[in-house]
């Protein structure tokens, strides 16, 4: 059967997807690739897809989000080579004046695909040969989980702390450290999941520029009872560059989502708690809490003698009279549970030593927020 001819679009209409695959035939894994002005990275990305050692059936589903470079031409130039390797290729897109955003493009790429499992691939990253095979095996074992993997960051040394966190946190911490400013503990460019799980959790938020669609989906997956798992092998070259869509999301947007999720999942279960950090970040968290949760803050704690000697923090912006005053204690005098507002991996191990000295269990006695 000949593939359907592509319908050329006018205005900002979308095209009918073009496919070299016979209608109705499901495949094992769809590689889902949203694309926007990725021309300079595509050859390396597509070459890596061609070299996957996975022995099941695969397709590549690309949705072009109004690229203005020759991304589309580059992908079409790879179509024949990929199909000779047995990887069917589905391509569509739109040509409106503005991109509609990563969430929209991911949803379109998923909806035109037919794999039982979905391997999310950013057009500027490079998968290692074992990625699809190893993550597919993990996803079969964990059908209600987002599966990630370890990464190699390029350029080397960029986002060093973040990369170390991605690769080194434990399986338990994949669930306990979901409130930190690093975002999803299983990072989006490494995601692999069953189609059924995507359909239960999704679709991605389509708010466009400035919307952290990955964090929203990640939190929704947890709300649905989903798990997280990481293949402890480097399966992706994860590229850092200034054009990445991540940079369009403001810190404040992420902060608000994290605070809301922390209140929903943790603070609602606690009668009282201590904020570990009497400085700027701890006070900002306090001010961001609902009035109900502000009342649960029994103290701030710190190691800085200057802050401790002040004795308390006064919430000057409060409409309450008298204004709330929260004690500031040395951490050894404070009591669990704690929300830790000190950046991980930034104190030369001092924070970790202090937590260990109190014999506290992460996920029960404390959660990291920063």
């Amino acid at each position: 059967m000949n593939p359907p001819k592509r319908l050329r679009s006018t205005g900002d209409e979308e095209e009918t997807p073009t496919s070299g695959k016979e209608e109705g035939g499901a495949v094992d894994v769809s590689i889902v690739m949203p694309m926007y002005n990725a021309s300079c990275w595509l050859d390396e990305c597509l070459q890596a897809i061609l070299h996957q050692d996975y022995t099941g059936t695969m397709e590549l589903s690309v949705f072009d989000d109004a690229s203005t470079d020759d991304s589309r031409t580059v992908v079409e130039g790879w179509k024949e080579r990929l199909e000779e390797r047995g990887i069917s290729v589905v391509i569509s897109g739109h040509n409106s004046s503005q991109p509609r955003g990563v969430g929209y493009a991911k949803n379109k790429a998923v909806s035109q695909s037919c794999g039982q499992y979905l391997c999310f691939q950013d057009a500027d990253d490079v998968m290692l040969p074992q990625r699809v095979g190893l993550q597919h095996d993990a996803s079969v074992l964990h059908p209600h989980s987002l599966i990630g993997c370890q990464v190699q960051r390029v350029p080397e040394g960029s986002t060093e702390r973040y990369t170390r966190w991605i690769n080194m946190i434990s399986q338990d911490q994949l669930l306990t450290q979901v409130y930190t400013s690093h975002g999803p503990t299983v990072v989006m460019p490494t995601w692999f999941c069953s189609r059924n799980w995507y359909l239960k959790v999704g679709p991605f938020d389509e708010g466009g520029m400035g919307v952290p669609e990955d964090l929203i989906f990640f939190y929704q997956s947890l709300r649905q009872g989903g798990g997280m798992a990481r293949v402890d092998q480097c399966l992706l070259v994860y590229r850092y560059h200034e054009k990445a869509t991540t940079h369009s999301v403001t810190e404040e947007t992420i902060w608000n989502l994290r605070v809301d999720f922390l209140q929903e999942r943790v603070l609602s279960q606690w009668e009282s708690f201590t904020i570990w950090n009497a400085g700027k970040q701890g006070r900002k968290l306090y001010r961001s809490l609902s009035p109900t949760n502000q009342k649960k803050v029994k103290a701030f704690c710190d190691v800085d003698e200057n802050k401790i000697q002040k004795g308390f923090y006064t919430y000057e912006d409060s409409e309450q009279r008298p204004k709330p005053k929260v004690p500031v204690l040395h951490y050894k005098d404070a009591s669990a549970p704690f929300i830790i507002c000190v950046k991980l991996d930034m104190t030369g191990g001092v924070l970790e030593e202090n937590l260990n000295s109190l014999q506290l269990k992460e996920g029960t006695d404390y959660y990291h927020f920063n």
Side-chain angles (χ1 to χ4, degrees), residues 297-311:
V297 178
K298 56 189 171 186
F300 290 91
C301 73
D302 213 293
V303 294
D304 184 336
E305 287 300 333
N306 290 331
K307 291 172 188 159
I308 295 164
Q309 280 172 11
K310 287 179 182 172

Side-chain angles (χ1 to χ4, degrees), residues 254-312:
I254 300 281
W255 174 278
N256 292 334
L257 283 166
R258 289 165 51 219
V259 170
D260 288 350
F261 199 60
L262 179 74
Q263 293 190 110
E264 173 191 328
R265 304 279 289 194
V266 177
L267 304 187
S268 64
Q269 308 300 310
W270 287 354
E271 290 181 10
S272 63
F273 63 97
T274 301
I275 295 176
W276 189 307
N277 185 354
K280 187 177 173 185
Q281 291 292 301
R283 296 195 306 267
K284 182 180 178 184
L285 174 61
Y286 175 84
R287 293 193 304 270
S288 301
L289 298 175
S290 69
T292 300
N293 285 323
Q294 284 177 351
K295 287 174 185 168
K296 294 182 182 181
V297 178
K298 56 189 171 186
F300 290 91
C301 73
D302 213 293
V303 294
D304 184 336
E305 287 300 333
N306 290 331
K307 291 172 188 159
I308 295 164
Q309 280 172 11
K310 287 179 182 172
F312 53 82

